[in-house]
Structure formats: C-alpha cells, structure tokens
Amino acid sequence: MTLEKDGAIGFAPSLKAVREALPALVEELLSACATLPTLEPIVAAAAAVEPGVLASVSMDDERLAPTRARLAALLSVAEERPRMLAGRFEPFERLAALDTAKYIRALKEREPTPDVYAAEAEGWRTLGAAVADVVPSEVHCGILLVCTAQLKASLAAKAAALVTSIAELIVGDVRRTAEKASMAYGAINEKLHGESANAEEAAAMREYLNSCGEELAALDGMLHTDLHPRVELLEALHHALPDGTFSEVHATLAWPAKLERSVSDAAERQEAERARFAEQLRADREQLEADIE
C-alpha cells in the first residue's frame, strides 16, 4: 500500500493490475515447472492436464478452464482483505489528502493563539503516532501479500512534517513578538535616560515617569500572554529556537528588570534636577530683586 501523489491511499500495483497479471504468472509457472521432473507431475495433476504437456499449455487452453476458475475464486477471496485493510486507513484520509502548504498558509492567516497551535500540533502528532499500530507492516491475504510499511511511514512522516511546520510558525511569532517588545522597551529606556535642559523638560520627564508604568505593564502583559506560552509550547514540541531568535528572546526577557533600574535611576535623577532647577530659579529671583534695587 502506498500514498499516491494526489493524496489517495492505494495499492501498488493495483488490485486490478494484479488480477490482470495473474494468468501470465501462472503460465510462466507452468512453463518453469515443465522442466523440473520432480515438480512436473505434481503441477500437472493440480492443473488437471496430462503429464508431459505443461510446456505447451497456455492459460487460454480449454483444459485449464477449471484451474482458471479456481484461481479466480482464490483471487476474489484474497481481494476482500486488502479492501478491508484500506478501510482501516479511513481515519488517516484527511492527513493523506491534506495540502500541507495550503493548510499552513491558512493557519498562519488565522493568527492562532498558543492554545490553537497546541491543539493543531497535538492532533497531528497523535494521528502520526496512531498510524504505527493501525495494521501490521505485512498482511497475508490468501495468495496475496499486502505490505503497509511504506504507507505507514509516509503518513507518519507527513504528520511529523506538519508538526514541524506548525512549530516554525510559532518560531516566527516568537521572533516578531520579541522584536516588537524589545523596540518598545528600548524606546522607553532611551526616554528614561534623557537629560532635562530646563524646568519645563524636567516637568515633562516627571509626568512621563508617572505615566510609563502603564506602558511597561502592557509590555509585561505581552510577554506573559504572547511570548512565554509560545516558547513553552516549542519546548513541549521539542523544537529548538534558532540561535538568533534565542538571543533575541533572552534579551527581551531581560528588559523588565533592566527598566526597573532605569525607572529608579530616572526618578532619582529627576529629583536631583528638580532641586537644581528650583535652586537656579531661587538664585535668578534673588538676582532680579538685587538688580531692581
């Protein structure tokens, strides 16, 4: 049994081809046995023909009509079990017929949550594992031997490839989320390290310090809802992050602690600047009063 290019599960050769080839095979068998003295009488008796004529008998010979009928009956019985085997693979027909590239594009367009990704990956992984036990690798069906190993291997490989493709989608999500968060954290960090040139700028920095907590909380939420679950899902799927993405993720996860220090430092610096500008304002006022006098 094989997985066809169009995704159909079939037999190679087909049962029809086996039926059509059987007469020629039997004829070759009769010819071969005609040259073996120990087998020729046995085969001749089984074929219901006179000893010594096997070499000249073709399958069209009327004397072989009973033999043809018995072979046809045996083949009809033998064909039933392969059809039953094909029925055992019905649960895998969607996997067999699935256009992997189209499926992955459609999944990406849905912008799945980690739970959706997990359900899709687990479904294919479970199906791929189940195919190993659906039927034996070789099944004797009367005069036919059906080999299912190739089909089972193809289905298992396709399921594994689907899981890998889903994992690659998750990697892309992780990379984009890490880059987006890093850029946002970096912009906040840059603002927090800005120096105030005057009292107005110091007041603006004080206002920003009071409001940036919401921005940081939103970014922290993004890490907990979008980044962490996807990274954990990749670990569950035993799919490693590429080196560049791995470094980006760890750099992103380091930002909250880094910014906590930056906020603290900015608050201290802002307090010092407020005091400095207040002192400067007092000095300017005293100087103005002295000039007036």
Side-chain angles (χ1 to χ4, degrees):
M1 298 185 73
T2 62
L3 182 60
E4 307 293 344
K5 291 182 179 179
D6 62 357
I9 294 174
F11 296 90
S14 67
L15 294 178
K16 179 181 178 182
V18 171
R19 176 178 286 278
E20 291 174 348
L22 189 60
L25 291 173
V26 173
E27 190 169 325
E28 290 179 13
L29 176 63
L30 294 177
S31 298
C33 291
T35 61
L36 301 174
T38 56
L39 291 180
E40 196 270 348
I42 300 173
V43 175
V49 297
E50 305 84 3
V53 300
L54 282 181
S56 61
V57 174
S58 71
M59 281 302 290
D60 295 331
D61 194 301
E62 215 28 64
R63 290 171 293 180
L64 291 182
T67 301
R68 289 197 300 270
R70 289 198 300 272
L71 285 173
L74 287 172
L75 189 57
S76 295
V77 173
E79 285 177 338
E80 288 303 315
R81 197 167 184 194
R83 293 191 180 95
M84 292 174 61
L85 287 177
R88 298 287 297 274
F89 284 95
E90 285 183 2
F92 306 94
E93 287 180 350
R94 177 173 176 252
L95 170 62
L98 188 70
D99 184 326
T100 300
K102 185 177 180 180
Y103 164 79
I104 292 298
R105 284 196 302 270
L107 182 61
K108 183 178 181 179
E109 290 172 0
R110 289 166 55 191
E111 298 182 355
T113 63
D115 287 342
V116 172
Y117 275 133
E120 291 290 324
E122 183 59 26
W124 295 123
R125 185 162 62 176
T126 300
L127 200 62
V131 74
D133 300 322
V134 64
V135 293
S137 295
E138 290 187 349
V139 181
H140 291 272
C141 304
I143 62 174
L144 300 178
L145 175 63
V146 178
C147 298
T148 64
Q150 181 180 344
L151 173 59
K152 294 199 297 182
S154 297
L155 290 171
K158 188 171 185 180
L162 282 166
V163 174
T164 299
S165 295
I166 291 172
E168 288 299 324
L169 286 183
I170 300 170
V171 168
D173 287 355
V174 167
R175 182 175 59 253
R176 286 187 292 273
T177 301
E179 290 173 351
K180 180 180 179 181
S182 286
M183 289 180 62
Y185 278 126
I188 294 173
N189 191 55
E190 186 176 350
K191 289 181 181 179
L192 291 175
H193 282 81
E195 296 288 342
S196 299
N198 50 52
E200 288 78 11
E201 291 183 2
M205 174 58 75
R206 183 166 59 254
E207 184 178 344
Y208 181 70
L209 279 172
N210 292 333
S211 64
C212 72
E214 294 181 4
E215 199 173 348
L216 289 173
L219 287 171
D220 290 349
M222 181 194 299
L223 298 188
H224 287 292
T225 60
D226 294 342
L227 190 62
H228 284 296
R230 285 172 169 79
V231 171
E232 291 170 358
L233 180 54
L234 287 172
E235 292 175 355
L237 295 176
H238 306 293
H239 191 93
L241 285 168
D243 290 343
T245 305
F246 180 85
S247 299
E248 182 74 31
V249 167
H250 278 266
T252 301
L253 295 178
W255 269 116
K258 183 178 180 180
L259 279 178
E260 187 176 344
R261 294 190 297 271
S262 294
V263 169
S264 177
D265 293 344
E268 292 179 4
R269 188 170 59 254
Q270 194 276 331
E271 184 63 27
E273 288 176 347
R274 188 189 66 78
R276 178 167 60 85
F277 287 127
E279 178 62 25
Q280 182 179 342
L281 180 62
R282 186 188 63 78
D284 289 344
R285 185 170 57 251
E286 290 178 353
Q287 182 63 44
L288 178 61
E289 292 173 354
D291 291 343
I292 293 173
E293 293 176 356

